[in-house]
């Protein structure tokens, strides 16, 4: 169901639902309620790789799997992986360019999007290609300087192509205005503070008459691209040496960045009708697969669960603006091939180099300052604004409302403690503050 349909059904009274309180702890720790459950009670979604068949005569349905990420980790001994991967990358890009309308590209200062532009110019000689980059006002979050490095290099290299760079910034006032609108389309709390930046880029694409955009999403998940993979791998080696429990090993992957706020989330959700995180689908999936090779498991978990949050952001924000966002790195054939390549081809433990094979392929094909630049993610001014007076005023207004999610389903005393600690500088809860803010906006829109 689209959000408009869900909202219409809820408002009509034909279908009764309420916020899914039981699984809210899963969200506060991981940014997502994973699996087939949603933020609405009795409203479910199909998991990736699934299809539903409805038997009209007997009024029954069944859900089957047509594809499983678990089956792509073959760990084969692949000869000449760099050469074969180069071919697969070109084919994946070609397949995502099948369109009867112009295709543009979401662009940043990272290797993923620069490689995508290089591949796009290779398979689309003489084409004009529009690039869209989300900039920030604060210099500490702006990638514009490194973006221009990559753009200038590729413009000189591919002289037969015309690369058009579009940049955009979003002010705090515009941000707060647009997030209200975006929340209605999103169906669930907006877990990523940068979603509004993406929304405004897609809006510009729409105004230009564009319909399809390519994105570098998925590269980090398949090429071992996150620094957190390195940290988790080192912690896993320590646990292995100390014969620690299975729960501790699972926790390394499940908690991620939510570990530092776990104790206060426990206090916040201390109710009988809120489930323990160990009852969540993702925790139990990890428990079932914990005997697998840990590096494989880490990538598998990231692709199966964490990546879905990113892809839902791309899909919902894109569709809000009538833009189809395609992800060449997640072409099934390419993903299956990369998942079959050994970890040693993707990550050098000696030098802590991630995306090793991708960097080897694109060394000197894109600017080497891009190839070896430290990963910066998708930064947003909101990382700073969240600690400012305006955001504090907005947040306090939302959570102290008698009809708010916080007042009705969470521990209000602990909420006040979180806000006080964060804004008085005792302890930074930026991520948790954002999660609560996004939760309240979603709840306000639907309930």
């Amino acid at each position: 169901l689209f959000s408009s349909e869900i909202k219409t059904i809820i408002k009509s009274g034909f279908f009764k639902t309420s916020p899914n309180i039981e699984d809210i702890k899963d969200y506060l720790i991981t940014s997502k309620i994973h699996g087939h459950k949603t933020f609405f009670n009795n409203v479910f979604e199909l998991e990736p790789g699934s299809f539903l068949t409805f038997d009209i005569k007997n009024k029954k349905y069944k859900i089957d799997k047509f594809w499983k990420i678990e089956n792509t980790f073959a760990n084969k001994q692949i000869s000449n992986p760099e050469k074969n991967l180069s071919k697969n990358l070109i084919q994946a890009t070609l397949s995502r360019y099948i369109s009867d309308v112009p295709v543009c590209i979401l662009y940043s200062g990272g290797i993923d999007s620069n490689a995508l532009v290089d591949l796009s110019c290779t398979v689309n000689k003489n084409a004009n290609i529009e690039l869209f980059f989300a900039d920030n006002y604060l210099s500490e979050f702006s990638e514009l300087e490194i973006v221009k490095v990559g753009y200038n290099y590729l413009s000189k290299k591919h002289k037969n192509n015309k690369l058009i760079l579009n940049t955009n910034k979003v002010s705090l006032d515009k941000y707060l205005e647009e997030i209200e609108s975006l929340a209605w389309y999103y169906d669930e709390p907006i877990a990523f503070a940068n979603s509004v930046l993406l929304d405004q880029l897609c809006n510009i694409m729409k105004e230009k008459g564009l319909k399809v955009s390519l994105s570098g999403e998925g590269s980090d998940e398949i090429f071992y691209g996150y620094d957190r993979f390195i940290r988790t791998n080192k912690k896993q080696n320590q646990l292995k040496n100390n014969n620690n429990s299975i729960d501790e090993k699972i926790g390394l992957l499940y908690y991620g960045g939510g570990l530092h706020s776990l104790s206060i989330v426990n206090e916040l959700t201390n109710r009988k009708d809120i489930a323990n995180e160990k009852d969540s689908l993702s925790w139990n999936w990890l428990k079932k697969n914990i005997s697998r090779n840990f590096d494989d498991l880490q990538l598998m978990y990231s692709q199966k669960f964490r990546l879905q949050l990113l892809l839902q952001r791309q899909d919902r924000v894109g569709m809000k603006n009538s833009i189809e966002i395609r992800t060449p790195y997640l072409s099934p054939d390419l993903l299956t091939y990369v998942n079959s390549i050994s970890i040693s081809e993707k990550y050098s433990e000696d030098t802590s180099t991630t995306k090793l094979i991708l960097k080897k392929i694109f060394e000197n094909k894109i600017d080497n300052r891009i190839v070896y630049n430290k990963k910066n993610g998708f930064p947003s001014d909101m990382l700073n604004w969240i600690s400012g007076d305006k955001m504090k005023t907005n947040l306090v207004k939302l959570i102290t409302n008698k009809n708010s999610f916080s007042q009705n389903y969470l521990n209000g005393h602990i909420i006040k403690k979180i806000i006080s600690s964060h804004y008085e500088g005792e302890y930074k809860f930026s991520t948790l503050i954002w999660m609560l803010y996004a939760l309240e906006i979603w709840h306000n829109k639907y309930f």
Side-chain angles (χ1 to χ4, degrees), residues 24 106 135 146 224 233-234 254-255 260:
I24 204 65
L106 286 166
D135 197 10
I146 192 70
Y224 207 94
N233 181 285
K234 289 178 179 177
Y254 177 84
Y255 292 119
H260 84 287

Side-chain angles (χ1 to χ4, degrees), residues 118-328:
D118 186 59
L119 289 164
S120 296
C121 291
T122 302
V123 300
N124 292 278
K125 296 184 185 300
N126 304 313
N128 292 347
I129 302 176
E130 298 221 39
L131 313 179
F132 290 84
F133 162 64
D135 197 10
N136 287 287
Y137 285 98
L138 298 171
S139 58
E140 61 190 292
F141 299 128
S142 176
E143 282 191 301
L144 185 58
E145 187 177 332
I146 192 70
V147 161
K148 287 181 177 179
V149 167
Y151 171 75
N152 290 334
Y153 184 95
L154 290 169
S155 295
K156 290 177 183 177
K157 177 181 178 181
H158 298 284
K159 293 180 179 178
N160 291 332
N161 293 93
K162 183 179 180 182
L163 299 179
I164 305 160
L165 180 62
N166 300 272
T167 67
N168 188 57
K169 297 178 183 179
V170 181
S171 68
L172 176 55
D173 288 339
K174 182 69 172 176
Y175 205 110
L176 296 176
E177 175 189 332
E178 292 300 326
I179 199 168
E180 292 282 340
S181 169
L182 184 58
W184 188 81
Y185 291 89
Y186 223 81
D187 293 349
E188 60 183 52
I190 300 172
F192 293 105
N194 54 31
S195 295
V196 173
L197 303 185
L198 177 62
D199 175 46
Q200 292 303 289
L201 279 187
C202 289
N203 192 0
I204 296 170
M205 293 176 196
K206 181 181 179 179
E207 290 174 352
K208 286 195 161 205
L210 295 164
K211 294 288 184 182
V212 179
S213 176
L214 301 188
S215 167
E217 237 64 59
S219 175
D220 289 309
E221 284 76 11
I222 66 174
F223 286 112
Y224 207 94
Y226 291 115
D227 288 340
R228 72 165 184 264
F229 289 164
I230 301 173
R231 293 193 299 269
T232 307
N233 181 285
K234 289 178 179 177
K235 289 179 181 177
Q236 150 65 10
N237 288 331
Q238 292 170 0
L239 289 182
K240 187 166 57 177
N241 295 333
N242 296 330
N243 295 317
N244 291 73
S245 70
I246 288 177
D247 279 3
E248 286 181 282
K249 292 179 181 178
I250 295 171
L252 287 178
L253 298 176
Y254 177 84
Y255 292 119
L259 186 61
H260 84 287
S261 58
L262 179 59
S263 61
I264 202 153
V265 168
N266 286 335
E267 294 180 63
L268 192 60
T269 56
N270 187 20
R271 287 174 48 142
K272 290 182 179 179
D273 53 353
I274 296 180
N276 187 284
E277 67 270 26
K278 293 180 182 179
D279 294 322
S280 68
L281 183 142
S282 53
W283 182 283
N284 281 285
W285 180 89
L286 282 166
K287 189 174 183 178
K288 180 181 177 182
N289 290 277
I290 199 65
S291 61
R292 287 178 180 262
N293 172 275
F294 189 80
D295 281 317
D296 282 350
L297 182 62
Q298 181 159 221
L299 291 179
M300 199 183 296
Y301 177 71
S302 192
Q303 292 171 28
K304 185 176 178 67
F305 293 105
R306 292 185 180 275
L307 181 57
Q308 298 314 315
L309 188 58
L310 286 166
L311 295 181
Q312 285 182 331
R313 177 192 66 185
Q314 306 296 85
D315 190 51
R316 290 168 182 177
V317 173
M319 288 296 99
K320 171 181 177 287
N321 295 285
S322 303
I323 302 293
E324 179 189 346
I325 300 179
R326 299 177 178 177
T327 51

